[in-house]
């Protein structure tokens, strides 16, 4: 209220709404921002994410395409396309996001993971496993990626040694699945 042109202030308020699970309220609040503030790429990216979380995919996609080739926008676009079932487009967007600078470790790892999930949906299992390898190479403590790699190697690729290695790392990181643990312990 004291400075309606402060983009960081708007982001703080909007992130608080998002953290509380109030994306619709955040979108309504954003409509009251001055137009020059709403056009800031950071707020456009926030708006697109809120639209995606509200399942308003076409609107989110329009905003995100205008922000490309920003890696964060590409990642968000990958999420939109994945939610719409457009797995080829999702994989392409995640591939763009994975080219982010080295300082964006989490974004890069998440982009590889997202691309792996898309490739798996497309039946391209070996490529999906390679993307999961890339995800854990960037962020070694990526619990979900280790689990997904273990499952993919075991059930889709028939690669027991690769599955065992990935699942062992998953359990080292605190993962828990009694059935997978029994399978892992039953194998020499």
């Amino acid at each position: 209220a004291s400075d309606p042109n402060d983009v960081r202030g708007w982001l703080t308020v909007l992130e608080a709404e998002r953290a509380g699970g109030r994306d619709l309220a955040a979108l309504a609040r954003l409509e009251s921002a001055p137009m020059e503030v709403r056009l800031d790429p950071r707020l456009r990216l926030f708006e697109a994410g809120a639209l995606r979380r509200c399942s308003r995919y076409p609107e989110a996609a329009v905003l995100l395409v205008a922000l490309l080739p920003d890696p964060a926008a590409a990642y968000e676009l990958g999420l939109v396309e994945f939610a719409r079932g457009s797995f080829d487009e999702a994989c392409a967007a995640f591939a763009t996001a994975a080219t982010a600078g080295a300082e964006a470790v989490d974004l890069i790892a998440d982009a590889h993971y997202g691309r792996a999930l898309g490739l798996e949906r497309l039946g391209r299992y070996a490529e999906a496993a390679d993307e999961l390898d890339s995800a854990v190479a960037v962020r070694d403590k990526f619990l979900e990626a280790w689990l997904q790699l273990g499952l993919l190697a075991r059930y889709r690729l028939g690669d027991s040694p690769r599955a065992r290695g990935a699942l062992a790392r998953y359990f080292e990181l605190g993962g828990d699945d009694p059935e997978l643990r029994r399978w892992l312990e039953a194998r020499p």
Side-chain angles (χ1 to χ4, degrees), residues 119-139:
L119 289 167
E120 187 174 4
R121 291 285 178 100
L122 292 168
R124 295 163 53 185
Y125 304 123
E127 290 175 77
D130 291 344
E131 286 293 324
L132 291 166
D133 282 334
S134 295
V136 298
V138 173
R139 188 169 72 218

Side-chain angles (χ1 to χ4, degrees), residues 42-64:
R42 295 168 291 178
L43 286 176
R44 299 304 269 181
L45 184 59
F46 177 90
E47 183 179 3
L51 289 167
R52 175 186 55 81
R53 289 185 295 278
C54 293
S55 301
R56 293 168 58 181
Y57 306 127
E59 294 168 83
V62 168
L63 290 176
L64 293 165

Side-chain angles (χ1 to χ4, degrees), residues 22-121:
R22 298 179 299 272
D23 284 303
L24 286 174
L27 289 169
R29 187 179 295 259
L30 185 57
E31 287 179 13
S32 68
M35 186 51 71
E36 56 273 8
V37 171
R38 288 187 67 188
L39 293 176
D40 183 281
R42 295 168 291 178
L43 286 176
R44 299 304 269 181
L45 184 59
F46 177 90
E47 183 179 3
L51 289 167
R52 175 186 55 81
R53 289 185 295 278
C54 293
S55 301
R56 293 168 58 181
Y57 306 127
E59 294 168 83
V62 168
L63 290 176
L64 293 165
V65 167
L67 294 171
L68 293 176
D70 178 328
Y75 178 76
E76 190 67 40
L77 183 59
L79 294 175
V80 167
E81 296 299 351
F82 193 94
R84 293 201 291 193
S86 301
F87 302 117
D88 283 316
E89 291 82 359
C91 288
F94 287 134
T96 298
T99 65
E103 71 283 352
V105 171
D106 287 335
L107 176 65
I108 295 168
D110 290 343
H112 284 296
Y113 182 75
R115 188 160 190 268
L117 296 180
L119 289 167
E120 187 174 4
R121 291 285 178 100

